[in-house]
Amino acid sequence: MRSPSSIAPTSALLSALLALPQLTAAFYLPGVAPTSYKPGDTVPLFVNSIKPVAAIDARVHSVLSYDYYDPRFKFCEPEGGPKYVSESLGSILFGDRIMTSPFTPKMAQNQTCMKLCSAKYDTESAHFVNGRISKGFALNWLVDGLPAGQDLFDPLTGTDFYSPGFALGQISAGEPDGITAFNNHYDIVIEYHKVRGHEDQLRVVGAVVQPYSKAYPSGEGELDCLDDGISAVVLSEDVDQTTDVTFTYSVYWKESPTAWATRWDKYLHVFDPKIHWFSLINSAVVVVFLTITVASVLFRALRKDIARYNRLDQISLDDFSGADSLEDGVQEDSGWKLVHGDVFRTPSHPLLLSVLLGNGAQLFAMTGFTICFALLGFLSPSNRGSLGTIAVFLYTLLSFVGGYVSARAYKSMNGEQWKMNIASTPLLVPGIVFSTFFILNLFLWANGAAGAVPFTTMLVIVAIWFIISVPLSVAGSWLGLRAKALEPPVRTNQIPRQIPPSTTYLKPIPSMLLVGILPFGAIFVELYFIMSSIWFSKIYYMFGFLFLCYGLMIITCAAVTILLVYFLLCAENYNWQWRAFLAAGMSAGYIFANALIYLISKLSLGGLSGTVLYIGYSALLSFLFFILTGSIGFFASWWFVRKIYGSIKID
């Protein structure tokens, strides 16, 4: 069997580069244009990796997936052996391993009780397969690019929908010991639609598979897969005992009024649409209320403060003859104006802060563009892995933005190690992410999981990183260092003033906990659906809700961080830079805590490898979210501080 690494990385790069100029050409990207078949033509049926879904207890019991032709499953192979189908980079990163199959459905021609092959399951294979059945693993097929699934009914919305994938086997819940049956017969129902004006041109618009377990009698006689009295296949785990299994399938064609352009609608099902609207409206109300509160408090207080400070600057020394005037003069030595000579002082560790800010700006732009592309329909689920491919592609191109922002911020902080800044911006955060990803990938390799990214694909990612991303970041840093530094509106004193003790809620930990929970609350419900789609192998497509939630999170993050910085300055604490970044980034801590709660409540991974992989990937995503939200909070606070100190007159 050929390794997927031999062809996948090259095709991934070519696919990404060829697709770029045509992103605005149509709703469906190149490679997913409609394919028409004539009656009797062979419709391609590909097989994908075998992935875990919810088991009988509605929990996911594994995060590992397996190749369809893993020797322990003993599935039938096509003549000449299975071959890997070209995939995009995003498809590989998300664990797809698509291969050819021995199934040969003929367009509009029913096929009944087609025999594939027979296999013998020894004790080891039987134990392995039965274990995967008990953990709720599902087969994933692709018919003309559509996932073959099961036809389900949602009583809440009263609609039928197709759920991608179908069970490897089933456990008889009514039996005292729960007999584990292995599915070896598949009824494949394929829906097709006639092209208007071309009756001999047919297109696939749906695919459903109903699996069965049938223990066919031994012998060379005719197989009767329609006999409902056949007992189920139970793989024996007894020592020195084998189980003979014969694989069969039937294909039934059904004409459908569904047009090819809307064939994905039945797969894109919202289980509870009201909760999305309720969450969105709730978040919007909270954000609007919070923003109005912050704006009103700040504008009223700041307008009064700025007017008083500017009025005091216009009073001459001759006017300070009365007691009232002296009291006004004393009032000047209070509030946020008192720290005007220290508020733009270089923070501690400016190099690290500038590097994180540059990568945060890069992530911010990448996330925004990716969601917009998805919102406009360019990332259709018919183009598998397009989301991951575009995200990697945009992150690489936007390295220029990261380098520019990092260098500009570092220069404004009066940093002197500009060579370290240029080198660290494209290497530090991507290096942490890649190293963590590589270590987690070792766990997948050690467990023989199909989700393990091939070594040559890793080399492609490293090549993209150093050949494209690093030079773009260096170019952005060069322009950022050549640009004029953002001069502070007030002068910085040579001697820093002493910071008085803070109240409890303004101390680092309490303030971070208070600020971080509000941005997390804006995306909490949508985050639940995203995690469910990742770990339960569902299709996530509600990018309209995600776009609005992303906007609400940005506004919330900026508003609460500005409010914190205002309170800090009023308390004569001028070390706002790191406090703003860490407080806004604390929402990532809530995301990681939520992932741990999800692990306890929705998953039951059992083994060490699965738990380490889940916690590792959750920590990695939380780290990136920390940089993203921290950068949003910092830049909002920086704008606010420059605005208020630029509005007062300082001698």
Side-chain angles (χ1 to χ4, degrees):
M1 190 185 303
R2 294 193 310 173
S3 170
S5 59
S6 61
I7 57 173
T10 305
S11 62
L13 284 175
L14 291 176
S15 300
L17 293 174
L18 291 175
L20 180 64
Q22 305 178 52
L23 281 176
T24 56
F27 178 85
Y28 287 95
L29 295 179
V32 289
T35 302
S36 299
Y37 302 92
K38 294 182 179 180
D41 288 350
T42 301
V43 177
L45 192 158
F46 298 138
V47 294
N48 202 349
S49 54
I50 302 173
K51 300 179 180 179
V53 294
I56 194 170
D57 59 354
R59 287 171 172 255
V60 171
H61 291 263
S62 177
V63 296
L64 304 175
S65 58
Y66 297 93
D67 276 333
Y68 185 86
Y69 295 109
D70 188 300
R72 292 168 291 185
F73 286 112
K74 299 185 182 298
F75 286 129
C76 306
E77 298 185 0
E79 292 184 9
K83 295 179 176 57
Y84 280 92
V85 178
S86 177
E87 300 176 60
S88 66
L89 180 61
S91 181
I92 296 172
L93 293 177
F94 282 133
D96 285 340
R97 300 295 180 267
I98 303 174
M99 291 179 275
T100 56
S101 76
F103 300 93
T104 56
K106 306 292 184 181
M107 172 58 77
Q109 292 182 1
N110 292 341
Q111 299 164 282
T112 307
C113 299
M114 303 290 293
K115 181 180 177 180
L116 288 171
C117 70
S118 297
K120 291 182 180 293
Y121 288 81
D122 55 18
T123 303
E124 182 182 353
S125 298
H127 177 73
F128 174 78
V129 174
N130 287 337
R132 305 292 84 76
I133 294 174
S134 63
K135 290 183 178 181
F137 275 71
L139 303 181
N140 296 277
W141 295 353
L142 297 172
V143 181
D144 190 47
L146 278 178
Q150 292 179 295
D151 192 354
L152 303 178
F153 178 76
D154 185 1
L156 189 64
T157 58
T159 56
D160 288 306
F161 68 97
Y162 295 162
S163 177
F166 53 94
L168 174 66
Q170 57 264 351
I171 299 177
S172 302
E175 299 291 338
D177 296 330
I179 295 177
T180 302
F182 177 48
N183 293 328
N184 63 319
H185 174 78
Y186 313 102
D187 279 349
I188 308 171
V189 180
I190 304 178
E191 298 178 352
Y192 66 93
H193 179 78
K194 293 181 179 179
V195 179
R196 182 179 300 179
H198 302 276
E199 296 296 318
D200 62 336
Q201 304 219 350
L202 312 177
R203 293 175 178 173
V204 176
V205 294
V208 177
V209 175
Q210 183 60 51
Y212 295 96
S213 181
K214 296 181 181 291
Y216 296 112
S218 58
E220 299 296 331
E222 193 75 19
L223 298 178
D224 186 9
C225 62
L226 302 178
D227 185 1
D228 295 332
I230 301 178
S231 59
V233 175
V234 179
L235 301 180
S236 175
E237 298 184 28
D238 296 337
V239 181
D240 297 330
Q241 186 172 346
T242 61
T243 306
D244 293 330
V245 178
T246 300
F247 291 93
T248 58
Y249 72 97
S250 299
V251 181
Y252 302 99
W253 294 87
K254 178 181 175 183
E255 188 172 356
S256 171
T258 303
W260 187 90
T262 59
R263 66 177 187 163
W264 277 91
D265 289 358
K266 276 199 170 185
Y267 294 90
L268 308 179
H269 176 71
V270 182
F271 285 92
D272 192 356
K274 291 183 180 179
I275 194 171
H276 278 279
W277 288 111
F278 176 78
S279 167
L280 191 63
I281 294 172
N282 180 61
S283 300
V285 169
V286 171
V287 168
V288 170
F289 178 76
L290 176 66
T291 306
I292 292 176
T293 302
V294 171
S296 61
V297 170
L298 291 182
F299 286 167
R300 289 177 62 185
L302 287 173
R303 186 169 58 182
K304 187 184 297 184
D305 289 346
I306 292 171
R308 178 164 58 86
Y309 292 152
N310 290 337
R311 185 173 66 251
L312 287 171
D313 286 335
Q314 295 174 358
I315 298 177
S316 63
L317 293 176
D318 295 336
D319 295 330
F320 290 107
S321 56
D324 293 339
S325 297
L326 286 174
E327 289 180 4
D328 288 340
V330 172
Q331 288 180 7
E332 185 179 5
D333 292 331
S334 62
W336 52 268
K337 186 185 177 185
L338 188 64
V339 295
H340 68 83
D342 299 275
V343 71
F344 291 101
R345 190 175 300 280
T346 301
S348 60
H349 309 293
L351 177 62
L352 177 61
L353 180 59
S354 64
V355 169
L356 293 177
L357 292 174
N359 282 272
Q362 187 177 347
L363 285 170
F364 177 80
M366 180 212 73
T367 307
F369 279 122
T370 303
I371 294 176
C372 288
F373 275 128
L375 184 65
L376 296 173
F378 293 125
L379 306 185
S380 167
S382 56
N383 190 20
R384 300 186 67 86
S386 58
L387 179 64
T389 304
I390 290 296
V392 172
F393 188 72
L394 287 175
Y395 186 82
T396 303
L397 288 183
L398 292 170
S399 299
F400 180 86
V401 174
Y404 179 82
V405 172
S406 175
R408 196 82 189 271
Y410 189 61
K411 188 174 183 179
S412 300
M413 295 176 191
N414 301 314
E416 298 178 352
Q417 298 176 288
W418 57 270
K419 292 182 180 179
M420 282 293 295
N421 174 266
I422 293 175
S424 300
T425 302
L427 296 179
L428 180 62
V429 172
I432 293 173
V433 172
F434 181 81
S435 300
T436 306
F437 181 74
F438 181 78
I439 293 172
L440 294 175
N441 202 54
L442 291 178
F443 279 88
L444 294 173
W445 276 336
N447 286 274
V453 177
F455 180 72
T456 49
T457 304
M458 286 285 196
L459 293 180
V460 169
I461 295 175
V462 172
I464 293 174
W465 180 11
F466 282 96
I467 296 176
I468 303 177
S469 179
V470 171
L472 285 175
S473 178
V474 171
S477 297
W478 182 75
L479 287 179
L481 291 171
R482 285 178 58 88
K484 185 179 179 182
L486 295 174
E487 297 293 337
V490 292
R491 292 193 303 270
T492 301
N493 296 333
Q494 292 184 352
I495 302 175
R497 64 179 293 114
Q498 187 176 1
I499 300 175
S502 301
T503 56
T504 302
Y505 75 94
L506 285 181
K507 291 181 179 179
I509 300 299
S511 62
M512 289 169 62
L513 293 174
L514 288 172
V515 171
I517 196 170
L518 290 171
F520 169 73
I523 62 170
F524 167 71
V525 174
E526 206 61 34
L527 182 66
Y528 173 82
F529 284 98
I530 292 175
M531 293 183 69
S532 296
S533 71
I534 293 174
W535 301 113
F536 284 80
S537 300
K538 297 178 181 177
I539 301 174
Y540 182 84
Y541 72 99
M542 293 166 285
F543 294 104
F545 287 106
L546 184 61
F547 176 79
L548 295 175
C549 287
Y550 185 60
L552 293 175
M553 184 216 48
I554 294 172
I555 298 172
T556 307
C557 200
V560 293
T561 313
I562 287 174
L563 194 60
L564 170 66
V565 169
Y566 175 71
F567 287 146
L568 285 174
L569 296 178
C570 288
E572 301 178 18
N573 188 342
Y574 52 84
N575 292 327
W576 60 271
Q577 292 95 334
W578 275 110
R579 293 290 299 274
F581 187 91
L582 294 175
M586 185 59 196
S587 56
Y590 286 101
I591 288 180
F592 185 69
N594 178 70
L596 296 181
I597 295 173
Y598 192 88
L599 170 63
I600 298 171
S601 61
K602 296 293 183 181
L603 308 179
S604 181
L605 301 181
L608 176 64
S609 296
T611 305
V612 169
L613 286 168
Y614 177 85
I615 294 177
Y617 284 124
S618 299
L620 187 59
L621 292 175
S622 300
F623 172 68
L624 294 175
F625 198 82
F626 165 74
I627 297 175
L628 171 64
T629 52
S631 300
I632 294 172
F634 176 88
F635 286 116
S637 302
W638 196 9
W639 169 84
F640 169 73
V641 171
R642 290 182 60 86
K643 198 75 173 175
I644 62 173
Y645 284 97
S647 302
I648 59 175
K649 299 176 182 177
I650 303 294
D651 293 334

